[in-house]
C-alpha cells in the first residue's frame, strides 16, 4: 500500500543528535539525487526543521534554507518538553549543523514572503507546504532559477492525504511545465522528484491554474516510458475532482482513459487513503466503483440487469456513456433518481436495457 507515512519518521534520539523528520526511504532518495549534483552546486531546502536532512545536503555545495523557524503545536505534540509552541527553533537548527561541522545560509520568513535571489539552482527540496497554495508559492520562486539538469523534490508530492498538491503536480506535468524524473524509489516513498519541462520556466497564473485543474487533458493512456509515479498522479487528479464535487469533469476525464492495468493499480493504492468532502461521499463512492469497473477490462460483461442494484444501474449507464460520443455529461444524480423511481431502463439504449 502506498502509505502517507514513511518508516522511521520523527526520530529524536538525544539532544546532541541531529533529528530527522523523514524515514529511511526518503533520506535514501534525497541522497541519491544529491549525489549526482555538479561541483559547487547550489541547493535550497524549504522547511529544514532541525537540520537532519540539511547536514547531508550541505556536503554537496552551497546550501540555502528557508523556514519561519517557529515550533508548531504538532512539533510540541511529537516532541513534548523540547520547546514551547511558537518558540524559535533556529538556535537548535544552527547548533545541530555546527555540531556536525556543516553550514547553511538561512532565510527566516514565511513561504509567502520568500524570494529566491541566489542565482542558478541545482537542487531544491520542498518540505514545508501542506496545501496547493503554499506549494504553488514555493514553485513560483524556484522554477525560474532551476537549471536544465536541476531537480525539485517535493515531500508529500505523492501522498494521498494531499490530493490537492498531487493534482497541482499532475497538471504541471501535463502542460509540460515540469516532468517526472525516473528514480526507482519504493512505492511508500511519497517524495515527487521533478525537473523543468519543455514549456519554460513560468508557472501558470492562478486563473490559468484553476482552469487546468478543472479541465483535465484527455490523456487516453499512461504515456510510454513515464516513471510509475505518473499513474498515481493521473488518478489523484481525477480523485481530487470527485472528492470536492467536480464529478462532471472527473467522469469526463475517466471516460477518455482506455482501460489500463497500471492506472487501475494506481487507483487501488490511492483510493483507501482519500477522504472526500463530507457532502460528496456518495458521489465519490460511485466514482470509485466506476473507476475500477472502467479499468478492469476492455470487454465489459454486465452480469446483472440495470435494475438489480444502484451499482449495476450506474455500470450499465457507464457503458452507454462511454460508447456515446455526443459530448453529453454523465448524469450521476439523474441516474440515481431514475433508479429509485424504477425507470432506469428508460435512460438506456433499448438494446442494452434488456
Amino acid at each position: 500500500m502506498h502509505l502517507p507515512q514513511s518508516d522511521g519518521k520523527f526520530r529524536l534520539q538525544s539532544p546532541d543528535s541531529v533529528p530527522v523528520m523523514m524515514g529511511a526511504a526518503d533520506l535514501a532518495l534525497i541522497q541519491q539525487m544529491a549525489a549526482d549534483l555538479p561541483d559547487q552546486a547550489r541547493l535550497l531546502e524549504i522547511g529544514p526543521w532541525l537540520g537532519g536532512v540539511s547536514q547531508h545536503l550541505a556536503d554537496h555545495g552551497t546550501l540555502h534554507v528557508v523556514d519561519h523557524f517557529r515550533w508548531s503545536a504538532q512539533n510540541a505534540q511529537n516532541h513534548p518538553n523540547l520547546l514551547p509552541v511558537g518558540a524559535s527553533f533556529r538556535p537548535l537548527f544552527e547548533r545541530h549543523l555546527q555540531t556536525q561541522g556543516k553550514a547553511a545560509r538561512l532565510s527566516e520568513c514565511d513561504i509567502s514572503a520568500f524570494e529566491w535571489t541566489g542565482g542558478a539552482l541545482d537542487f531544491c527540496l520542498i518540505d514545508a507546504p501542506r496545501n496547493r497554495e503554499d506549494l504553488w508559492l514555493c514553485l513560483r520562486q524556484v522554477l525560474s532559477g532551476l537549471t536544465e539538469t536541476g531537480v525539485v523534490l517535493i515531500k508529500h508530492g505523492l501522498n494521498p492525504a494531499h490530493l490537492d498538491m498531487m493534482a497541482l503536480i499532475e497538471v504541471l506535468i501535463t502542460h509540460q511545465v515540469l516532468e517526472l524524473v525516473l528514480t526507482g524509489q519504493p512505492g511508500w516513498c511519497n517524495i515527487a522528484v521533478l525537473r523543468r519541462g519543455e514549456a519554460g520556466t513560468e508557472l501558470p497564473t492562478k486563473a490559468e491554474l484553476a482552469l487546468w485543474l478543472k479541465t483535465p487533458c484527455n490523456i487516453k493512456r499512461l504515456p510510454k516510458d513515464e516513471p510509475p509515479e505518473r499513474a498515481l498522479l493521473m488518478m489523484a487528479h481525477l480523485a481530487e475532482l470527485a472528492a470536492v464535487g467536480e464529478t462532471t469533469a472527473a467522469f469526463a476525464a475517466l471516460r477518455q482513459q482506455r482501460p489500463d492495468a497500471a492506472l487501475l493499480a494506481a487507483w487501488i493504492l490511492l483510493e483507501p487513503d482519500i477522504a472526500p468532502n463530507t457532502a460528496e461521499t456518495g458521489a465519490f463512492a460511485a466514482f470509485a466503483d466506476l473507476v475500477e469497473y472502467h479499468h478492469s477490462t476492455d470487454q465489459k460483461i454486465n452480469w446483472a440487469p440495470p435494475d438489480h442494484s444502484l451499482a449495476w444501474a450506474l455500470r450499465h449507464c457507464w457503458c452507454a456513456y462511454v460508447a456515446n460520443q455526443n459530448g453529453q455529461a454523465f448524469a450521476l444524480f439523474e441516474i440515481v433518481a431514475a433508479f429509485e423511481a424504477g425507470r432506469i431502463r428508460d435512460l438506456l439504449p433499448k438494446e442494452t436495457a434488456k
Side-chain angles (χ1 to χ4, degrees):
M1 186 174 178
H2 193 105
L3 297 175
Q5 305 96 326
S6 53
D7 180 46
K9 190 176 181 183
F10 302 129
R11 297 195 303 242
L12 189 57
Q13 295 87 351
S14 74
D16 294 323
S17 66
V18 182
V20 180
M21 199 190 280
M22 292 193 185
D26 293 337
L27 279 174
L29 178 61
I30 291 167
Q31 291 174 314
Q32 171 190 331
M33 302 312 299
D36 291 332
L37 291 173
D39 293 337
Q40 307 302 317
R42 286 190 181 96
L43 301 89
L44 172 64
E45 184 182 8
I46 303 177
W49 200 48
L50 296 180
V53 177
S54 309
Q55 63 170 335
H56 299 289
L57 296 180
D59 290 334
H60 297 278
T62 302
L63 174 63
H64 302 252
V65 298
V66 180
D67 207 304
H68 55 34
F69 292 102
R70 294 295 164 190
W71 202 245
S72 68
Q74 187 67 48
N75 292 150
Q77 179 179 334
N78 291 325
H79 305 290
N81 305 320
L82 186 59
L83 286 173
V85 174
S88 173
F89 60 85
R90 179 170 175 169
L92 275 178
F93 174 85
E94 293 178 317
R95 191 189 81 189
H96 286 141
L97 257 62
Q98 289 169 1
T99 300
Q100 299 296 318
K102 309 294 175 64
R105 300 179 181 181
L106 276 59
S107 296
E108 184 173 350
C109 63
D110 290 329
I111 294 171
S112 59
F114 169 63
E115 290 189 30
W116 171 251
T117 58
L121 186 60
D122 300 290
F123 178 101
C124 179
L125 173 61
I126 301 176
D127 188 21
R130 295 296 182 269
N131 59 65
R132 180 156 57 216
E133 172 69 16
D134 285 348
L135 179 55
W136 184 88
L137 288 171
C138 291
L139 291 172
R140 177 177 61 91
Q141 283 298 327
V142 304
L143 191 60
S144 60
L146 199 66
T147 65
E148 290 186 6
T149 58
V151 290
V152 176
L153 284 69
I154 302 174
K155 177 62 179 167
H156 298 297
L158 299 174
N159 188 339
H162 297 282
L163 280 180
D164 60 336
M165 289 170 54
M166 294 181 73
L168 170 59
I169 294 168
E170 168 57 23
V171 298
L172 294 178
I173 293 171
T174 299
H175 290 270
Q176 299 182 313
V177 176
L178 295 171
E179 63 180 47
L180 277 170
V181 176
L182 182 62
T183 64
Q185 66 198 70
W188 59 86
C189 178
N190 63 34
I191 295 177
V193 182
L194 304 122
R195 58 176 163 243
R196 273 173 39 190
E198 297 179 358
T201 60
E202 294 297 324
L203 278 182
T205 65
K206 290 187 178 180
E208 290 171 329
L209 178 60
L211 182 61
W212 288 4
L213 288 165
K214 289 189 177 183
T215 54
C217 289
N218 295 330
I219 300 177
K220 293 181 169 54
R221 195 177 290 276
L222 183 66
K224 290 183 179 180
D225 303 322
E226 280 278 2
E229 293 80 25
R230 180 66 191 281
L232 199 70
L233 289 166
M234 286 175 62
M235 301 312 290
H237 187 193
L238 271 63
E240 198 225 3
L241 288 168
V244 300
E246 297 284 349
T247 51
T248 298
F251 282 123
L254 179 62
R255 176 195 202 175
Q256 294 298 322
Q257 293 180 349
R258 295 175 183 172
D260 189 316
L263 293 177
L264 176 59
W267 176 261
I268 291 171
L269 288 171
L270 185 73
E271 191 268 336
D273 293 311
I274 299 171
N277 291 359
T278 303
E280 310 301 338
T281 53
F284 184 83
F287 178 77
D289 179 76
L290 289 175
V291 169
E292 296 199 27
Y293 180 70
H294 179 81
H295 282 294
S296 60
T297 177
D298 285 311
Q299 299 297 321
K300 299 293 184 291
I301 300 175
N302 289 319
W303 297 105
D307 44 13
H308 178 270
S309 66
L310 178 57
W312 279 109
L314 289 167
R315 292 168 186 168
H316 278 269
C317 289
W318 181 257
C319 289
Y321 170 66
V322 171
N324 186 354
Q325 298 299 317
N326 64 5
Q328 186 175 354
F330 185 72
L332 175 63
F333 298 105
E334 180 182 335
I335 295 168
V336 173
F339 174 79
E340 291 175 345
R343 54 179 183 81
I344 187 63
R345 294 174 184 268
D346 295 344
L347 300 184
L348 295 166
K350 291 182 179 180
E351 62 272 15
T352 64
K354 297 178 181 178

